[in-house]
Amino acid sequence: EAAVTQSPRNKVAVTGGKVTLSCNQTNNHNNMYWYRQDTGHGLRLIHYSYGAGSTEKGDIPDGYKASRPSQENFSLILELATPSQTSVYFCASGGHNSNERLFFGHGTKLSVL
Amino acid sequence: QQKVQQSPESLSVPEGGMASFNCTSSDRNFQYFWWYRQHSGEGPKALMSIFSDGDKKEGRFTAHLNKASLHVSLHIRDSQPSDSALYFCAARNNNNRIFFGDGTQLVVKP
């Protein structure tokens, strides 16, 4: 089964600090995604990528940057973290074909104090 | 705007009972539908897909799609406590954008 690994699993940050969430997939998937999950909002798309060097804005990109330096790695960057960004963040990867499923990591729980 | 709407928000069924989830999309460009399941403390995991009108059965799980009404449903028969989880409907369009519903929390009581 496809493997998506996120790090760290838990992170506590201070308001105004920089946070980087990392994601690695070993299945040569073209597409990678960053979602946040909050109670009552389900999964909301922040940024996504179609391949190395590409990043696209999702539905809630404000306050976040993304970086896809290679096929395997996709990072989410919070330059100036705010308490409203306290959430659980999930990375996912999937193939290019529209009928393919997504594979999710275990998530990163971020608390911004 | 919410492109994929799920109901109910939560559901409680007895062990051995039938659990049913509904999903309605607002975009006729959606061609591919998936159901995902998320157990507490884990990431979502794809459960089953449905791309054609009608029913698709996989073990205790049956999905139904009606493209004309943009409605998708999932039914779990003989529900088990291990089925207790958050269930998401996801729709994917030809531009590879994927939209998730807000989820339905299922509790199966022993």
Side-chain angles (χ1 to χ4, degrees), chain A residues 37 59 96 98 100 102, chain B residues 32 36 38 92 96-97 102:
Chain A
Q37 184 176 33
D59 299 319
H96 180 71
S98 297
E100 296 186 56
L102 294 186
Chain B
Y32 307 96
Y36 286 79
Q38 182 183 24
R92 190 166 185 170
N96 265 328
R97 282 296 307 272
D102 286 344

Side-chain angles (χ1 to χ4, degrees), chain A residues 42-57:
Chain A
L43 292 165
R44 292 186 290 175
L45 181 64
I46 307 170
H47 284 288
Y48 59 105
S49 169
Y50 292 132
S54 92
T55 59
E56 306 288 339
K57 292 182 179 179

Side-chain angles (χ1 to χ4, degrees), chain A:
Chain A
E1 170 135 321
V4 178
T5 304
Q6 293 182 233
S7 62
R9 292 292 295 269
N10 292 280
K11 174 73 177 178
V12 179
V14 296
T15 297
K18 182 177 181 178
V19 177
T20 300
L21 307 183
S22 299
C23 179
N24 175 274
Q25 55 101 359
T26 59
N27 295 280
N28 201 32
H29 285 154
N30 290 325
N31 300 342
M32 296 187 75
Y33 308 81
W34 276 107
Y35 291 90
R36 63 177 283 176
Q37 184 176 33
D38 304 286
T39 303
H41 289 283
L43 292 165
R44 292 186 290 175
L45 181 64
I46 307 170
H47 284 288
Y48 59 105
S49 169
Y50 292 132
S54 92
T55 59
E56 306 288 339
K57 292 182 179 179
D59 299 319
I60 53 164
D62 293 346
Y64 302 94
K65 290 184 180 179
S67 174
R68 182 89 181 268
S70 65
Q71 183 80 338
E72 297 80 18
N73 295 296
F74 190 37
S75 298
L76 185 68
I77 303 150
L78 291 66
E79 295 279 3
L80 294 170
T82 67
S84 65
Q85 293 175 314
T86 293
S87 187
V88 180
Y89 292 85
F90 288 98
C91 175
S93 75
H96 180 71
N97 294 326
S98 297
N99 61 353
E100 296 186 56
R101 68 184 66 193
L102 294 186
F103 294 87
F104 284 83
H106 276 82
T108 294
K109 186 174 182 180
L110 173 65
S111 297
V112 183
L113 307 178

